[in-house]
Amino acid sequence: MSDSLKKFLFEDRSVRIESVQLTQTWLAAQAHHTYPPSVAALLGELVAAATLLSATLKFDGSLLLQLQGDGAIALMVVECRADLSVRATVKMRERKLPEAPSLQSLVNPGGTAKFIVVLDPPKHTPGRQVYQGIVSLEGDTIAEALEQYMLRSEQLETRIWLAADSRLCTGLLLQRLPVQGGNQQAALSTAEESWERAQHLAQTLNPTEMLSIDQDTLLHRLFWDELLHSFEPRAITWRCSCSHERVSDMLRMLGKPEVQDMLEDRDAIDIACEFCGQPYTFEAKEALALFNAVH
């Protein structure tokens, strides 16, 4: 079964529920990298979180979640586009990992780390403006950091549960929605009860359970007694923007003399995408042929 995001609303439309469980997408993200388990777990959680948050937005562009710090992890980035295609990467410093690796010890040992959220509209959007929100990295987990950001920057009460290992990353999001129309006092009271009940039900989750139980079973176990309005599941895929053509263009930009220098002591040029790690190999004949069509 393909990876998917599943979305529901409480009967009174006051609470949004989103669930993701990624296997194929997550394995593709790791295909050309070998991350330490603690680093992979953090990246997997950020991948799950990005898909959850992207699906809450009415935005035809890309959502980027970025952790930038002074620890062994210098940079961690996940991009999720409006169609829920994802790419992700980590940049590491050459230093020993902490004995008890955690979000703060890996990214923020010096207390200077930033959590950055970017909303990037399509490039050809008229009047295109990129939104960037930057806050200090707070919280002991990715989920806590995101909850703090959503409350402070978006004024939306949001609860997030995340888990990841080498084979699977998964997440659950609850979000309290504004009450609209009708008897406001009665609606607010009902919405408050729904929000408290939703949190109470979801607080039973733990990482072991999230990584060992399939998505539908888990949702049923949590919300079997609720009347939920369901939406069509949305497929999640891995897609990096790198390609053989783009790497070819990069070699052309370097120029023929530079490419010839690279081939002096080797039979081929090996290049890996800086983002996803996808390797590209250009045999000498192919590399030099790139300049034959240049006038």
Side-chain angles (χ1 to χ4, degrees):
M1 179 180 294
S2 61
D3 298 335
S4 64
L5 179 140
K6 297 188 176 183
K7 180 179 175 180
F8 307 87
L9 290 177
F10 262 46
E11 185 181 17
D12 62 2
R13 304 296 199 271
S14 67
V15 178
R16 173 189 286 132
I17 304 168
E18 290 180 358
S19 169
V20 294
Q21 198 168 70
L22 310 179
T23 52
Q24 297 171 15
T25 305
W26 178 223
L27 291 175
Q30 302 173 85
H32 305 295
H33 297 285
T34 303
Y35 298 123
S38 57
V39 175
L42 284 181
L43 181 62
E45 290 180 8
L46 198 64
V47 167
T51 58
L52 289 168
L53 291 179
S54 181
T56 69
L57 302 173
K58 294 180 179 179
F59 177 71
D60 184 22
S62 295
L63 166 72
L64 289 93
L65 300 184
Q66 178 174 315
L67 305 179
Q68 186 172 321
D70 51 32
I73 295 176
L75 180 68
M76 181 178 288
V77 183
V78 177
E79 179 182 13
C80 185
R81 305 171 187 89
D83 62 359
L84 298 188
S85 61
V86 179
R87 64 174 183 162
T89 193
V90 178
K91 304 299 181 185
M92 303 284 295
R93 293 187 172 92
E94 293 186 7
R95 64 175 64 173
K96 184 179 179 181
L97 296 183
E99 292 185 5
S102 64
L103 173 64
Q104 291 294 334
S105 65
L106 285 167
V107 184
N108 196 30
T112 63
K114 301 298 181 183
F115 174 58
I116 303 168
V117 176
V118 178
L119 296 178
D120 188 7
K123 291 185 178 180
H124 301 295
T125 302
R128 178 176 179 265
Q129 288 187 326
V130 177
Y131 166 83
Q132 181 172 269
I134 304 175
V135 297
S136 298
L137 180 61
E138 299 180 2
D140 295 327
T141 64
I142 296 287
E144 289 179 9
L146 287 168
E147 288 172 357
Q148 288 296 318
Y149 176 84
M150 293 300 293
L151 185 60
R152 292 184 181 185
S153 300
E154 306 298 329
Q155 287 78 53
L156 284 173
E157 289 188 74
T158 304
R159 295 295 312 278
I160 300 172
W161 289 261
L162 303 168
D165 58 19
S166 62
R167 61 180 181 82
L168 173 69
C169 65
T170 181
L172 179 77
L173 176 145
L174 301 180
Q175 197 166 75
R176 185 171 181 175
L177 302 176
V179 173
Q180 298 178 351
N183 185 322
Q184 286 288 303
Q185 185 172 354
L188 284 170
S189 177
T190 300
E192 182 67 31
E193 291 177 5
S194 295
W195 179 240
E196 293 301 323
R197 190 167 67 253
Q199 291 183 88
H200 176 74
L201 293 170
Q203 280 169 353
T204 63
L205 279 176
N206 62 71
T208 300
E209 185 178 33
M210 293 177 72
L211 293 170
S212 60
I213 299 175
D214 71 85
Q215 191 176 18
D216 290 334
T217 301
L218 195 65
L219 288 167
H220 177 75
R221 182 175 296 184
L222 292 174
F223 302 111
W224 66 272
D225 202 28
E226 299 293 331
L227 292 174
L228 300 178
H229 176 68
S230 62
F231 296 80
E232 282 295 318
R234 296 182 60 192
I236 303 168
T237 57
W238 169 265
R239 178 166 60 88
C240 186
S241 58
C242 70
S243 66
H244 189 276
E245 182 179 358
R246 287 195 172 195
V247 178
S248 298
D249 289 342
M250 183 271 291
L251 290 174
R252 290 190 186 98
M253 290 177 64
L254 286 177
K256 190 172 183 178
E258 181 71 19
V259 170
Q260 287 174 325
D261 286 345
M262 295 169 68
L263 290 167
E264 274 190 3
D265 57 355
R266 67 188 77 176
D267 296 325
I269 298 175
D270 295 309
I271 300 174
C273 172
E274 289 189 357
F275 204 102
C276 74
Q278 169 74 41
Y280 294 91
T281 298
F282 290 77
E283 300 294 336
K285 184 177 180 180
E286 179 187 7
L288 293 173
L290 295 173
F291 300 94
N292 293 342
V294 177
H295 301 289

